[in-house]
């Protein structure tokens, strides 16, 4: 029950934070590329941020790291796969720099995990420094400003209410989700890392799923793709970086080389698909099938 309540709060809080963030960006006349990659990317990553931080503080490093890696896998294979099945996503919806940053963040994330037994404050500082460069580059882009229908006239007080309410709801949801997931893992003898890679990762990715599916149905492929790319960059640079700076994270023994290979492989597959021109419905179905296969492998590994 705690996990279900936590997931519900995360979904509602993520929706509120995203709506408030997009409205703020629109009010400030930020380009749509920034809205998708930075505002939505950061907003929909807040559940992962608060969940991983709560897990690290609660002494559950498997959930903290598993949540980040599992969310990145789910964002590409599950969420982007479903969005592409609904509406093909053209490669032009993501710029070259967005693709480069996905590769950079993925390589950095895997490197700091492999470099030692703990993702410490030095590694976290490196990730946050890369995040600062990413945000600076995104905000300095010269792109056309495009208002978001339905929210461009939102009042400042309502924007603040969405942002504050969404953040508070996310904090409560993250705490409930971590407590529930940790309890299940310990009672069933399932490793916390597996719980983090699956249930927690998918749960905290629900805002990305909702945002990307809605964007795909409305024909906003750039928003869907930008949301996933931005979220994956933030998951590693911001979430893993900030969490490690606040409380160093021991690399959990349950983390398999296969998990890291799937993180790298899913990012590489997305980059190849974009290089080929678009993510069509067939490729989207392949993404979803690969995700189902990975979840199946995790299930067999703990059986």
């Amino acid at each position: 029950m705690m996990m279900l309540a936590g997931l519900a709060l995360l979904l509602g809080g993520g929706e509120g934070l995203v709506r408030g963030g997009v409205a703020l960006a629109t009010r400030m006349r930020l380009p749509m590329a920034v809205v998708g990659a930075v505002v939505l990317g950061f907003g929909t990553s807040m559940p992962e941020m608060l969940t991983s931080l709560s897990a690290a503080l609660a002494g559950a490093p498997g959930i903290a790291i598993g949540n980040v890696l599992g969310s990145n896998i789910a964002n590409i294979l599950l969420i982007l796969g479903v969005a592409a099945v609904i509406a093909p996503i053209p490669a032009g919806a993501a710029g070259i720099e967005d693709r480069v940053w996905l590769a950079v963040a993925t390589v950095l994330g895997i490197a700091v995990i492999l470099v030692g037994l703990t993702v410490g404050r030095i590694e976290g500082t490196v990730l946050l420094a890369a995040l600062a460069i990413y945000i600076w580059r995104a905000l300095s882009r010269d792109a056309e400003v495009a208002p978001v229908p339905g929210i461009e006239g939102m009042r400042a007080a309502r924007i603040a209410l969405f942002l504050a309410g969404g953040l508070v709801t996310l904090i409560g949801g993250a705490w409930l989700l971590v407590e529930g997931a940790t309890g299940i893992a310990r009672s069933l003898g399932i490793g916390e890392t597996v719980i983090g890679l699956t249930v927690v990762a998918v749960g905290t990715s629900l805002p990305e799923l909702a945002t990307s599916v809605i964007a795909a149905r409305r024909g906003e492929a750039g928003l869907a793709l930008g949301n996933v790319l931005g979220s994956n960059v933030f998951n590693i640079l911001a979430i893993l970086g900030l969490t490690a700076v606040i409380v160093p994270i021991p690399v959990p023994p349950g983390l398999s080389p296969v998990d890291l290979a799937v993180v790298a492989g899913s990012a590489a597959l997305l980059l190849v698909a974009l290089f080929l021109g678009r993510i069509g419905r067939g490729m989207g179905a392949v993404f979803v099938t690969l995700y189902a296969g990975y979840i199946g492998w995790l299930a067999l590994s703990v059986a």
Side-chain angles (χ1 to χ4, degrees):
M1 287 300 295
M2 289 183 69
M3 283 188 64
L4 291 177
L7 289 174
L9 289 177
L10 285 173
L11 182 59
E15 173 67 18
L17 196 65
V18 167
R19 284 181 62 84
V22 173
L24 178 63
T26 303
R27 189 181 182 92
M28 296 174 64
R29 299 194 60 78
L30 293 174
M32 182 55 70
V34 175
V35 173
V38 178
V39 180
L40 280 184
F42 181 74
T44 56
S45 288
M46 284 304 293
E48 287 94 334
M49 167 78 80
L50 295 170
T51 300
S52 288
L53 184 56
S54 298
L57 291 172
I63 291 180
I65 290 182
N67 176 42
V68 170
L69 300 181
S71 292
N72 275 25
I73 295 170
N75 282 349
I76 294 176
L77 298 182
L78 176 63
I79 294 170
L80 208 53
V82 171
V85 169
I86 295 173
I89 301 173
I96 297 298
E97 188 166 350
D98 295 314
R99 306 177 205 183
V100 170
W101 273 107
L102 173 64
V104 168
T106 302
V107 170
L108 276 177
I110 294 175
V112 299
I113 290 174
L114 292 177
V115 75
L117 298 177
T118 301
V119 181
R121 291 187 171 90
I122 294 177
E123 292 86 353
T125 301
V126 171
L127 294 177
L128 290 180
L131 173 68
I133 297 173
Y134 170 71
I135 295 176
W136 171 71
R137 289 292 303 166
L139 294 177
S140 64
R141 293 180 192 175
D142 184 15
E144 179 182 355
V145 176
V148 179
I151 65 173
E152 58 267 31
M154 189 182 292
R155 295 177 180 274
R158 193 178 180 194
I159 292 175
L161 181 61
F162 270 116
L163 292 173
L167 184 59
V168 170
T169 305
L170 282 171
I171 292 173
W175 183 82
L176 286 174
L177 186 62
V178 170
E179 289 296 311
T182 304
I184 289 177
R186 289 170 179 166
S187 64
L188 298 180
I190 299 175
E192 292 175 349
T193 303
V194 174
I195 293 292
L197 285 165
T198 54
V199 179
V200 176
V202 173
T204 55
S205 290
L206 288 177
E208 285 95 333
L209 178 60
T211 302
S212 294
V213 168
I214 291 171
R217 293 188 63 180
R218 292 180 179 176
E220 293 286 352
L223 202 60
L225 183 56
N227 175 37
V228 167
L229 290 175
S231 180
N232 277 26
V233 171
F234 271 102
N235 281 350
I236 294 176
L237 301 185
I239 297 173
L240 195 57
L242 182 61
T243 302
V245 167
I246 295 175
V247 50
I249 314 169
V251 176
L255 187 64
S256 164
V258 174
D259 300 317
L260 296 178
V262 174
V263 172
S266 59
L269 183 61
L270 173 57
L271 294 175
V272 169
L274 293 177
F275 176 78
L276 294 177
R278 72 170 188 166
I279 307 173
R281 289 188 171 89
M283 182 60 74
V286 170
F287 279 22
V288 175
T289 302
L290 289 174
Y291 186 72
Y294 173 62
I295 295 300
W297 176 83
L298 284 175
L300 290 175
S301 68
V302 300

